[in-house]
Amino acid sequence: RWRVVTLAGQLIDISGAMSGGGHKVARGAMRTSDSDGAASSAAGDGEGEDGDVEEVTEEDVRELRAELKRCEQALQQARARVTQLEDTLERETAELARAHSRLRSAQQEMSAAE
């Protein structure tokens, strides 16, 4: 059987029960529905509905690797976009500070002229 382990080292059962201690109870089934409505394990326990071991084909592995590659590329693009947005935010924040400074100077000049 396959098991799902969190980054904190806690085991998650197919039922969604979490073991490993802690104060917070985590619940929720680890199952998904196929298009025909049949329940399958999202945890990948390797067993079919009748308890027989399901075979993972090379095609399954290729598809999963391709999906992983797409996800990694999307993550890389998202990280690049975050960097770009952080740079834009930094520039715009500096511009806003300069605008506030010009506004204060203009207000002081107006007060002095009165």
Side-chain angles (χ1 to χ4, degrees), residues 1-2 41 44-57 60:
R1 293 182 65 104
W2 292 71
S41 172
D45 64 359
E47 292 185 13
E49 290 181 35
D50 57 0
D52 292 336
V53 176
E54 294 177 14
E55 185 175 328
V56 177
T57 65
D60 293 335

Side-chain angles (χ1 to χ4, degrees), residues 47-102:
E47 292 185 13
E49 290 181 35
D50 57 0
D52 292 336
V53 176
E54 294 177 14
E55 185 175 328
V56 177
T57 65
E58 288 183 28
E59 180 62 25
D60 293 335
V61 173
R62 278 193 297 275
E63 288 175 7
L64 289 171
R65 285 186 176 150
E67 178 66 20
L68 176 60
K69 186 174 182 176
R70 285 190 296 273
C71 290
E72 287 173 340
Q73 289 171 343
L75 177 60
Q76 187 177 22
Q77 290 173 349
R79 285 181 174 157
R81 181 70 176 137
V82 165
T83 300
Q84 183 183 40
L85 291 171
E86 287 173 341
D87 292 344
T88 300
L89 177 62
E90 188 176 328
R91 282 193 311 273
E92 296 298 326
T93 301
E95 177 58 33
L96 180 61
R98 287 190 296 273
H100 278 289
S101 178
R102 288 192 305 268

